């Protein structure tokens, strides 16, 4: 199986062959979970770090009355908070958006791994800082960007993050999100999301068909979104070789 975690971490810090081997040894067995199921529930003991290998997941909070907010999207290669095992309980749930394959690194194994390899220690620290930067950018979207700017920005971000692990080209990427998922991510209604998608299509900027996004004019979409990929902090090979669409 392709190792998206090593691929992503190597975008932050160059990894040696030994680093990649130690990382693979630390990962537990791969497990599968159905779409819309919880990988870990709010309130659970986070004794290990979950790593998304295939599929899409999300961090989410749900209020007692059923209202739900997706606070971040988790893609192949993402570790679900590399130091989460230091906490006593989960303050959010991690749920599968699509069918997901994931593995776990026990907290003690991750501490041993980062003590053994300065490269992996720096890479996980950079990933944690980049995750916080992404969260700040989502907050900016909710507070400052218009509806169409929010959606355009999310599309730009997803494409860039997927490209970093070899799952997107400059103009295309998978996008298996429903309009409800987009609404829960962007603080809008599904009706508003539908109208915004129609507007982006009408401007000739995107096509969204069969769970795949095509960006017809990446520069124009980025300008509309006020998107600057610097906050993703991929310092190694920011523009990886494109893969076949």
């Amino acid at each position: 199986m392709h190792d998206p975690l090593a691929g992503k971490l190597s975008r932050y810090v160059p990894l040696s062959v030994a680093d990649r081997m130690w990382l693979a040894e630390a990962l537990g067995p791969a497990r599968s979970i159905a779409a819309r199921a919880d990988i870990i529930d709010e309130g659970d003991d986070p004794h290990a770090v979950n790593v998304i290998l295939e599929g899409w997941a999300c961090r989410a909070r749900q209020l007692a009355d059923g209202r739900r907010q997706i606070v971040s999207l988790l893609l192949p290669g993402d570790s679900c908070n590399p130091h989460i095992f230091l906490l006593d309980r989960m303050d959010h749930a991690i749920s599968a958006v699509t069918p997901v394959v994931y593995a776990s690194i026990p907290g003690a194994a991750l501490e041993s791994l980062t003590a053994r390899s300065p490269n992996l220690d720096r890479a996980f620290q950079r990933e944690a800082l980049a995750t916080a930067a992404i969260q700040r950018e989502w907050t900016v979207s909710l507070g400052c960007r218009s509806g169409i700017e929010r959606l355009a920005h999310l599309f730009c971000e997803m494409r860039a993050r997927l490209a970093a692990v070899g799952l997107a080209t400059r103009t295309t990427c998978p996008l298996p999100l429903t309009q409800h998922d987009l609404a829960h991510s962007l603080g809008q209604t599904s009706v508003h999301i539908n109208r915004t998608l129609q507007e982006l299509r009408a401007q000739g900027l995107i096509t969204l068909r069969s769970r795949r996004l095509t960006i017809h004019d990446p520069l124009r979409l980025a300008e509309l979104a006020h998107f600057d990929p610097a906050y993703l902090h991929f310092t190694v090979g920011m523009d990886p070789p494109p893969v076949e669409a």
Side-chain angles (χ1 to χ4, degrees):
M1 179 182 293
H2 169 64
D3 186 355
L5 177 60
K8 181 187 176 186
L9 293 178
S10 68
R11 296 294 178 197
Y12 300 124
V13 175
L15 300 182
S16 68
V17 173
D19 292 328
R20 291 172 181 270
M21 180 185 68
W22 294 331
L23 189 61
E25 290 173 351
L27 275 173
R31 288 173 281 180
S32 298
I33 190 168
R36 309 298 163 181
D38 286 341
I39 295 172
I40 187 167
D41 290 314
E42 186 174 340
D44 284 353
D45 175 13
H47 57 278
V49 177
N50 293 308
V51 178
I52 307 301
L53 301 178
E54 295 179 9
W56 288 39
C58 69
R59 295 186 183 92
R61 287 274 287 110
Q62 185 161 314
L63 302 183
D65 62 6
R67 285 177 293 170
R68 183 170 182 261
Q69 179 71 38
I70 292 176
V71 297
S72 62
L73 291 166
L74 299 165
L75 310 179
D78 287 345
S79 63
C80 306
N81 300 318
H83 304 296
I84 194 70
F85 60 89
L86 297 175
L87 301 180
D88 297 324
R89 63 188 299 273
M90 289 290 294
D91 55 30
H92 61 280
I94 297 175
S95 305
V97 174
T98 68
V100 164
V101 177
Y102 71 101
S104 299
I105 304 178
L110 184 59
E111 289 183 318
S112 175
L113 181 67
T114 53
R116 171 189 284 183
S117 169
N119 286 340
L120 288 171
D121 184 34
R122 285 194 297 273
F124 275 112
Q125 290 190 51
R126 288 187 64 90
E127 185 198 31
L129 292 170
T131 298
I134 291 170
Q135 202 72 65
R136 286 192 293 273
E137 200 65 28
W138 278 44
T139 302
V140 170
S141 282
L142 291 174
C144 296
R145 290 186 175 95
S146 67
I148 193 170
E149 290 169 348
R150 290 183 203 181
L151 190 56
H153 194 277
L154 183 68
F155 288 166
C156 290
E157 180 186 298
M158 293 301 100
R159 191 220 63 83
R161 288 171 58 190
L162 288 165
V165 290
L167 296 176
T169 71
R170 184 171 178 269
T171 58
T172 65
C173 68
L175 195 86
L177 302 175
T178 67
Q179 291 186 18
H180 287 295
D181 294 328
L182 292 170
H184 290 158
S185 300
L186 300 176
Q188 297 173 327
T189 66
S190 297
V191 171
H192 191 102
I193 292 294
N194 184 274
R195 291 172 181 164
T196 306
L197 284 169
Q198 291 182 37
E199 187 173 353
L200 288 171
R201 291 187 184 106
Q203 292 186 31
L205 291 173
I206 67 140
T207 298
L208 183 56
R209 184 180 297 120
S210 301
R211 297 160 64 92
R212 192 160 191 87
L213 173 70
T214 300
I215 301 174
H216 300 296
D217 193 330
L219 290 178
R220 275 183 60 208
L221 191 71
E223 288 173 359
L224 171 64
H226 304 278
F227 177 74
D228 179 352
Y231 72 95
L232 298 173
H233 297 290
F234 292 130
T235 57
V236 180
M238 181 57 204
D239 291 314
V243 298
E244 291 298 322

